Amino acid sequence: MELGLGRVRAVYERMIPMSCPVITVGGTNGKGSTTAILESFYRAAGYRTGAYFSPHLMRYNERVRLNAEEAADEDLCQAFAAVEEARGGTSLTYFEFGTLAALWLFARTGVEVAILEVGLGGRLDAVNIIDADVAVVVSVGTDHKDWLGPDRETIGREKAGIFRAGRPAIIGFDVSRSAVDEAERLGARAVMGGRDFSYEERERSWHFTSAAGSRDLPYPALCGRYQLANASCALAAAEALPGLALTAQDLRAGLQAVRLAGRFQTLPGPGPRVIVDVAHNGEAAQALARTLREQRAPGRTLAVVGMLKDKPIAEVFEALRGSFDGWFLASLDDPRGADGMFLKDALRGVGITPDGVYGDPVDAYKAALWCAGRDDRIVVFGSFKTVGAILALMQDRRGGGGGRVV
């Protein structure tokens, strides 16, 4: 990792430039969901879309979507070759290389709107070489302190670095004051959640209000009431983007069709319900705990967790204390992965004794599945790598014609 825009911008200037409207989406939590909702709005309206996500769960293709479908291997390889040719002797990080490849592919295929998820922070992230027509900061938390700063106010300023003078800056409901101040300092046109747009939950629908008016909408297909805040940010961004009209029907259809793996996603199959969620910081863990309370299971709820060691592990466990009847801990085979015994010590630190410690997420999942009854549920969370391992296992079993494996 090497933060900074000089190298990646120099390479981009030697490549095909994008000419379509761009929405950039940053934040600590919710930026992937907001990106997916915006993509779904514009697809429902028939626009050619390009969407860039980070990170992926199972395969790199997930990061680059054209018209809501993962980019094909051959298209990505052509894009990588174009970046390699353009960079010459300039060094690029993994994320910079991939970002340039996505931008090249969007330009070459002539997408009509591009929605770009920020990878880390904002101001110095490779995505920020693009001057977005609309920029969104969905939320500000305290993830990535080693890179972004020691506190929420410092991190908020970094995330607000995607805003541009004179252009709409959509600011979500859970942000730091510093992000608002930075938008003002940059001269952006702040559109703030709770001031300029809001939402209200209802029994069978939800209500969105902004300067453009108010409307009743169906709940997003992404599970969890916290998704309403993300959907509201997406709606505010769509209203602020000039030139691409969306009808009420487009918005309704987009909310009902949106898809993004790993966000309180229930996996198909018989037996206990299996949910995967990429919650890996304190704020996301609190949202997961709320959703579990709202959607109670008739039986027990078992946790399968593997995390990166640079995440706020104790904070995550504290937020989820009382949410699970059993804990199955997994080591992650990654330079940044936390060892299962380290997780055990952290869990004991909040007063919980795990049911077992395993060498990888698949073994931890199989152990939980062995212990679970038909009315129980298993929640796999803690890292994209943890969730990705279980999604890959389930995909392999379905591909082989089998069901869940114990």
Side-chain angles (χ1 to χ4, degrees):
M1 191 180 295
E2 185 177 346
L3 298 180
L5 300 180
R7 293 169 296 99
V8 65
R9 180 179 283 123
V11 177
Y12 180 68
E13 289 172 353
R14 298 194 288 267
M15 300 177 64
I16 308 172
M18 284 201 307
S19 58
C20 66
V22 175
I23 303 174
T24 300
V25 183
T28 302
N29 295 302
K31 58 184 184 289
S33 296
T34 303
T35 299
I37 293 168
L38 279 163
E39 174 195 49
S40 194
F41 285 160
Y42 289 109
R43 279 305 299 148
Y47 292 108
R48 298 189 304 275
T49 59
Y52 182 50
F53 297 89
S54 177
H56 61 273
L57 287 164
M58 293 185 289
R59 54 191 170 272
Y60 188 89
N61 310 60
E62 298 167 24
R63 293 179 180 241
V64 184
R65 297 209 304 214
L66 295 166
N67 297 327
E69 298 294 335
E70 294 175 8
D73 290 350
E74 54 269 29
D75 291 334
L76 287 171
C77 288
Q78 288 181 19
F80 295 149
V83 176
E84 181 65 16
E85 181 179 358
R87 77 177 183 89
T90 303
S91 65
L92 294 171
T93 68
Y94 174 92
F95 185 75
E96 290 168 347
F97 203 104
T99 299
L100 289 169
L103 298 180
W104 181 89
L105 193 53
F106 295 160
R108 197 200 70 158
T109 55
V111 302
E112 294 174 286
V113 60
I115 307 104
L116 310 177
E117 180 185 350
V118 173
L120 174 67
R123 181 176 65 93
L124 298 176
D125 186 85
V127 165
N128 203 34
I129 61 173
I130 302 297
D131 293 323
D133 297 276
V134 178
V136 185
V137 172
V138 182
S139 65
V140 175
T142 53
D143 211 352
H144 299 296
K145 286 184 178 180
D146 290 346
W147 291 97
L148 302 180
D151 53 51
R152 192 166 181 254
E153 295 301 309
T154 305
I155 293 170
R157 282 190 291 272
E158 287 293 317
K159 292 188 179 297
I162 63 175
F163 296 149
R164 293 296 190 270
R167 299 187 180 185
I170 312 302
I171 299 172
F173 300 91
D174 184 20
V175 299
S176 61
R177 180 66 214 180
S178 61
V180 180
D181 292 342
E182 186 67 4
E184 181 178 344
R185 188 189 72 79
L186 292 169
R189 293 192 285 114
V191 181
M192 294 178 57
R195 186 191 74 180
D196 302 307
F197 63 95
S198 61
Y199 69 91
E200 178 187 350
E201 298 181 29
R202 296 183 175 177
E203 184 176 351
R204 298 182 183 276
S205 64
W206 63 288
H207 194 73
F208 176 78
T209 302
S210 70
S214 62
R215 62 183 86 236
D216 286 310
L217 294 161
Y219 277 91
L222 301 175
C223 192
R225 291 186 181 274
Y226 60 88
Q227 293 290 359
L228 294 183
N230 300 330
S232 295
C233 287
L235 279 161
E239 289 181 349
L241 185 68
L244 295 180
L246 294 172
T247 68
Q249 181 56 37
D250 296 333
L251 299 177
R252 295 178 65 86
L255 288 169
Q256 293 172 317
V258 63
R259 58 185 176 86
L260 188 64
R263 277 65 172 183
F264 208 86
Q265 176 187 1
T266 298
L267 303 184
R273 183 184 179 196
V274 177
I275 299 164
V276 294
D277 192 282
V278 293
H280 57 262
N281 56 45
E283 294 84 1
Q286 290 170 15
L288 174 58
R290 287 194 300 271
T291 306
L292 289 172
R293 288 195 298 271
E294 291 164 359
Q295 300 187 17
R296 294 192 176 276
R300 299 175 301 158
T301 300
L302 307 178
V304 173
V305 55
M307 295 190 66
L308 301 179
K309 59 189 174 185
D310 56 4
K311 298 299 180 182
I313 294 172
E315 185 180 345
V316 168
F317 287 169
E318 179 62 34
L320 288 161
R321 190 154 58 95
S323 297
F324 297 107
D325 303 294
W327 291 76
F328 298 80
L329 308 181
S331 298
L332 289 183
D333 184 16
D334 183 274
R336 294 171 57 204
D339 181 78
M341 296 307 294
F342 181 86
L343 296 180
K344 179 179 179 180
D345 291 340
L347 193 63
R348 283 181 166 174
V350 300
I352 302 171
T353 300
D355 293 70
V357 179
Y358 302 88
D360 60 55
V362 170
D363 283 347
Y365 168 73
K366 289 179 179 179
L369 191 59
W370 182 266
C371 294
R374 181 170 292 274
D375 292 333
D376 296 338
R377 63 180 172 182
I378 299 170
V379 182
V380 181
F381 74 95
S383 168
F384 276 76
K385 292 183 177 294
T386 303
V387 170
I390 304 310
L391 287 175
L393 173 70
M394 301 297 283
Q395 185 178 79
D396 288 345
R397 295 301 300 176
R398 289 197 299 271
R404 290 190 186 132
V405 60
V406 175

